[in-house]
Amino acid sequence: MSSEEKRAWVQGPVSLTAYLVYLHLLLFTEVGYVSAMLWTIGCGIAVAIGLHIALTVRGPQEPKDDRDREIARFGDAMGHGAVVLGAVVALVLALMGGDQFWIANVIYAGFSLASVLGSTARVAAYRWGLPGRHAW
């Protein structure tokens, strides 16, 4: 398993878990949304980096090749739509005078969804090949 595939396996679950923890804090505690959002984003980044380092040092280092680059591009393209959708909805909310709470939550949801979709697409491409192409 390449280092890039390991990163894809880490990124999706960590992003999803961080967002679910944020929703739990938001719905079931008295913590403000700003601090809950900042803490879950920061902890998610730290956990993802730590897990990636732990997985990388345990195995052999493989250089990034053309296949890894194409799969990364495919994963980015799959997640791009969620980021754009979140940005458009946040922009509409801002133009309509929406509350900062909703704008921030739409943006966070868009980024989290993009991360989960992108990493899922990468893992699928590593396992079954890119769509429309022969499996590597």
Side-chain angles (χ1 to χ4, degrees), residues 7-61:
R7 181 177 287 135
W9 276 102
V10 166
Q11 180 183 353
V14 169
S15 296
L16 181 61
T17 302
Y19 189 72
L20 292 176
V21 166
Y22 168 72
L23 287 178
H24 176 78
L25 291 173
L26 190 65
L27 297 173
F28 301 112
T29 67
E30 297 295 321
V31 177
Y33 82 94
V34 174
S35 60
M37 187 179 292
L38 293 175
W39 276 103
T40 55
I41 290 171
C43 289
I45 291 169
V47 167
I49 290 171
L51 285 173
H52 181 67
I53 290 171
L55 290 173
T56 303
V57 297
R58 293 189 59 174
Q61 296 294 320

Side-chain angles (χ1 to χ4, degrees), residues 26-104:
L26 190 65
L27 297 173
F28 301 112
T29 67
E30 297 295 321
V31 177
Y33 82 94
V34 174
S35 60
M37 187 179 292
L38 293 175
W39 276 103
T40 55
I41 290 171
C43 289
I45 291 169
V47 167
I49 290 171
L51 285 173
H52 181 67
I53 290 171
L55 290 173
T56 303
V57 297
R58 293 189 59 174
Q61 296 294 320
E62 297 178 18
K64 194 183 248 190
D65 59 6
D66 288 337
R67 175 180 179 237
D68 291 322
R69 287 183 197 86
E70 283 191 47
I71 290 174
R73 201 172 310 124
F74 172 68
D76 290 343
M78 295 303 290
H80 184 74
V83 171
V84 171
L85 179 64
V88 168
V89 172
L91 179 64
V92 169
L93 284 172
L95 293 173
M96 293 175 49
D99 190 40
Q100 290 178 350
F101 170 83
W102 293 110
I103 296 168

